[in-house]
Amino acid sequence: MNGTTDDETILREVLERWRTAVDAHRPQDVADVFTEDAIFQGLHPYGVGRYAVAAYYASQPLGMRAGYRILETRRYADDLVLGYLDTEFTFTDRDPVAVKLAVLARRQEDGWALAHYQVSRL
């Protein structure tokens, strides 16, 4: 396996936990995918830490679902993987929202978690 494939595998494992929790509208489970000190930037003002992540996702409508496609990965250290994604959030009562998403996954004692999450509309 080459580094890119390994990096994509790492990101997919983390992002699938995130996506599953988002789709089920479980804000605390979404927050658990992040590090304690994660910098989080959704489409609202940024926040820091799991509490900010949980609050953000608690404010999202029921029925919101997330989809993503990994566009690029970079391994900046043994314990850091950057991902750049096409991401689409779908809703039951309005048009989908397509965004770009940059994430930084960091290896911790209990596995990989998101240390940085930044959404941008293009």
Side-chain angles (χ1 to χ4, degrees):
M1 245 182 185
N2 67 35
T4 301
T5 302
D6 292 344
D7 297 345
E8 286 184 15
T9 299
I10 289 165
L11 287 175
R12 284 188 197 292
E13 187 277 326
V14 176
L15 291 167
E16 281 304 302
R17 288 188 287 130
W18 165 79
R19 185 194 59 75
T20 299
V22 168
D23 290 358
H25 195 74
R26 294 191 316 256
Q28 190 55 55
D29 290 348
V30 176
D32 290 343
V33 176
F34 289 77
T35 63
E36 291 286 343
D37 62 347
I39 298 171
F40 180 86
Q41 174 68 63
L43 292 175
H44 301 286
Y46 88 98
V48 175
R50 289 180 178 156
Y51 177 81
V53 173
Y56 180 86
Y57 281 103
S59 74
Q60 299 305 311
L62 290 173
M64 182 181 84
R65 297 180 63 84
Y68 66 89
R69 182 170 61 94
I70 297 172
L71 300 172
E72 296 287 338
T73 65
R74 299 291 186 274
R75 175 74 66 116
Y76 288 110
D78 288 343
D79 63 345
L80 293 174
V81 176
L82 174 83
Y84 184 64
L85 321 166
D86 266 335
T87 306
E88 183 176 74
F89 294 95
T90 58
F91 305 88
T92 59
D93 61 348
R94 62 181 177 196
D95 291 337
V97 174
V99 297
K100 298 297 187 195
L101 175 59
V103 296
L104 183 64
R106 183 171 72 203
R107 183 174 34 225
Q108 303 187 115
E109 288 181 14
D110 59 348
W112 290 87
L114 297 177
H116 181 84
Y117 174 108
Q118 184 165 357
V119 166
S120 64
R121 287 190 203 229
L122 296 177

